[in-house]
Amino acid sequence: MDPEEFRRHAHAAVDWISDYRATIEQRPVRAQVEPGAIEARLAAAAPELPQSLATILDDFERIVMPGITHWQHPRFFAYFPANASPPSVLAEILTAGIAAQCMLWQTSPAATELESRVLDWVRQAIGLPEGFAGVIQDSASTATLAALVAARERALDGAGNRDGLAQHRPVTVYATAEAHSSIEKACRIAGIGSGALRRVATDDHGRMRADDLAVQVANDRAGELHPAAVVACLGSTGIGAVDPLAEIAAVCRSEALYLHVDAAWAGSALLLEEQRWMSAGVEHADSFVFNPHKWLGVQFDCAAHFVRRPGLLTAALGIQPSYLTSSETGRVIDYRDWSIPLGRRFRALKLWFTLRAYGLEALREMLRNHIAWTSELASWIAAEPDFELATTPSLALLTFRHVPAGVADLDAHNCDLVERVNADGFLYLTPHTHRGRAVVRWSIGAQTTERRHVADAWARVRDLAHGRG
Ligand SMILES: *Cc1c(COP(=O)(O)O)cnc(C)c1O
């Protein structure tokens, strides 16, 4: 493809994106296809001869688009948001155009220096104290894996990386049952093992009980195990539970445990002064991760990972083969030593574009709106005699149940309700199980959502529940 042909197609692609976004509201939120339907329409093997871009784009519209779920849709209330603000999309186009591998400072100095600076903007914006240094990972899962490897090597004094884990006392990690599945996965990959992930008891709101943490750590020490790390969660995925960081940090300090904070979703809300109660005690954390690619509007992937002692991370993940040594080694940051993979995308650009194009004040306004509309939605749900809130709303996340009289199996009834809501395509919600009961989870966070979308969606849920679909 020559540059002029590329220019023509690129303009068309950008026009397509603009139209898509302008009309997204008219689409069903969740893809309305059966498993296998898309694959059945795709050629069985790659073509031997070139095909025209016009044909390919045509097939994109005809075959691919019907199988897309619209995460930028204003009535997307499932999972957590994955916003891609238009400025961040523009930055991604430029990033793709440059296509630099940003593994070392030397392989694109601007990528490294922009990453350090823009993460320091973020650090200030969310009220993390000075002294935390940032790195962008592809996901919160990867940040947590990196943190647990660092914690493991801190506990074993580097011997795990040298000898493997077989010769050492087993390392243990602590989190609640509310914690994200990525923590158990990280324990598996890091050779710690699912069995060594201790589940700390929670209170009625799903928050970690620091007293139980202390008891479990003491028991494990008495049992010749090696307690290494605690993963505290700000804003659990299921119900938005917020672990009491200051109390947990106190246990970590007295027991010399590494403290990692997973605030993947809720971390964005720390832009708001009035939500900083959540992060009281964070100054004692060893690392902290949140995803600007969720609520803040930065195109996936962008996980902001902050560490208090970068040396712990680079001691665990740094390796120095001669082909990756440069004349600047040791004088600059080489972010590959802070990450699991070697290759790195230029992710800082889209964060920089987003923060500058909106400014913090507009981002705060969006977050405040989502939180206020969630409170309003909660009051509408609570006012209906046959509905109930299942958990206390947390920021912009709530869970509820439909509890009509005379229905024997309310779990099956609520699962069925979510299925009917999602099949209808007007809005998109996620089913969840909380304390053994089926609940419906509603998360507000799309940048495109307005108050009317929440109100219309609630009216549709009520109608479907009442058999008036
Ligand atoms: C979404 C989420 C994660 C996982 O985020 P990825 O970036 O997809 O790995 C981890 N923890 C919590 C609390 C989350 O909400």
Side-chain angles (χ1 to χ4, degrees):
M1 187 178 288
D2 66 37
E4 281 317 308
E5 201 185 345
F6 177 80
R7 185 189 309 279
R8 223 167 6 91
H9 291 302
H11 281 150
V14 170
D15 283 343
W16 186 94
I17 296 171
S18 304
D19 292 340
Y20 169 70
R21 290 191 164 236
T23 58
I24 196 166
E25 198 168 333
Q26 294 149 28
R27 297 178 187 254
V29 190
R30 192 184 74 174
Q32 306 283 304
V33 293
E34 291 301 318
I38 306 294
E39 195 171 352
R41 302 178 65 189
L42 297 167
E48 295 292 338
L49 299 175
Q51 300 182 337
S52 76
L53 247 295
T55 309
I56 300 168
L57 285 169
D58 206 47
D59 285 348
F60 165 70
E61 188 72 74
R62 206 170 47 83
I63 302 174
V64 177
M65 281 312 289
I68 294 297
T69 291
H70 305 290
W71 286 70
Q72 310 310 313
H73 196 295
R75 287 186 301 271
F76 184 99
F77 301 121
Y79 306 100
F80 279 135
N83 284 306
S85 68
S88 76
V89 173
L90 291 175
E92 273 295 66
I93 293 173
L94 300 177
T95 295
I98 299 166
Q101 271 291 351
C102 308
M103 52 201 185
L104 308 177
W105 177 87
Q106 188 174 90
T107 61
S108 274
T112 296
E113 295 184 18
L114 186 66
E115 184 162 331
S116 301
R117 177 53 58 100
V118 78
L119 279 176
D120 200 60
W121 289 9
V122 172
R123 179 192 66 73
Q124 297 171 51
I126 63 172
L128 271 191
E130 263 178 48
F132 277 91
V135 53
I136 302 182
Q137 310 283 10
D138 58 0
S139 62
S141 302
T142 304
T144 294
L145 173 58
L148 288 184
V149 173
R152 185 194 73 194
E153 289 311 298
R154 173 179 171 267
L156 298 178
D157 214 6
N161 272 349
R162 193 185 59 228
D163 311 328
L165 300 178
Q167 350 256 348
H168 303 285
R169 270 190 300 160
V171 163
T172 50
V173 173
Y174 304 80
T176 72
E178 296 290 334
H180 192 264
S181 58
S182 57
I183 293 152
E184 182 172 352
K185 193 184 257 192
C187 286
R188 291 183 186 180
I189 300 170
I192 292 166
S194 294
L197 172 56
R198 302 295 199 232
R199 298 300 186 173
V200 183
T202 53
D203 68 11
D204 289 343
H205 296 283
R207 297 178 293 216
M208 184 183 289
R209 279 183 36 197
D211 57 342
D212 187 59
L213 171 64
V215 168
Q216 293 211 36
V217 169
N219 285 345
D220 285 340
R221 276 204 207 290
E224 297 294 304
L225 300 173
H226 201 146
V230 177
V231 181
C233 185
L234 302 188
S236 69
T237 313
I239 62 167
V242 176
D243 286 337
L245 216 46
E247 291 173 37
I248 293 167
V251 176
C252 290
R253 279 207 311 286
S254 68
E255 297 288 338
L257 302 175
Y258 185 104
L259 176 56
H260 176 62
V261 179
D262 175 8
W265 161 66
S268 295
L270 294 176
L271 252 68
L272 307 176
E273 207 55 74
E274 68 270 25
Q275 303 298 351
R276 298 259 173 92
W277 59 270
M278 287 193 294
S279 59
V282 74
E283 63 276 14
H284 301 299
D286 294 285
S287 52
F288 175 99
V289 64
F290 90 103
N291 284 339
H293 71 227
K294 278 183 170 161
W295 204 355
L296 214 53
V298 182
Q299 152 91 25
F300 187 86
D301 49 354
C302 181
H305 179 193
F306 294 94
V307 292
R308 201 148 47 84
R309 283 170 289 173
L312 289 182
L313 202 52
T314 55
L317 300 179
I319 283 195
Q320 195 59 260
S322 61
Y323 52 81
L324 291 175
T325 303
S326 71
S327 54
E328 301 84 14
T329 299
R331 287 195 293 130
V332 295
I333 290 181
D334 286 330
Y335 273 124
R336 66 174 175 119
D337 294 332
W338 300 46
S339 311
I340 305 279
L342 168 63
R344 312 184 79 244
R345 297 181 349 92
F346 187 6
R347 298 192 187 89
L349 196 69
K350 58 195 173 185
L351 185 51
W352 191 54
F353 268 46
T354 302
L355 294 176
R356 295 183 64 189
Y358 291 98
L360 295 175
E361 209 31 68
L363 295 171
R364 289 191 195 103
E365 188 188 339
M366 176 189 75
L367 298 165
R368 285 198 175 103
N369 280 337
H370 292 162
I371 293 169
W373 298 334
T374 304
S375 297
E376 225 179 339
L377 173 64
S379 70
W380 298 335
I381 292 170
E384 290 288 327
D386 57 338
F387 279 88
E388 66 184 21
L389 288 169
T391 53
T392 311
S394 172
L395 303 170
L397 173 67
L398 59 74
T399 66
F400 67 93
R401 305 234 301 168
H402 184 223
V403 288
V407 172
D409 189 346
L410 285 172
D411 289 335
H413 175 78
N414 278 276
C415 290
D416 176 64
L417 176 62
V418 181
E419 233 349 277
R420 283 190 293 132
V421 165
N422 291 343
D424 174 270
F426 189 69
L427 68 150
Y428 189 21
L429 300 174
T430 308
H432 178 57
T433 304
H434 179 63
R435 301 218 160 114
R437 298 191 316 164
V439 302
V440 187
R441 196 178 158 287
W442 189 316
S443 146
I444 299 179
Q447 194 185 26
T448 50
T449 301
E450 298 166 23
R451 184 183 172 279
R452 68 182 167 95
H453 296 112
V454 180
D456 293 350
W458 167 238
R460 179 65 65 106
V461 170
R462 236 181 17 190
D463 285 351
L464 286 171
H466 294 159
R468 292 195 303 263

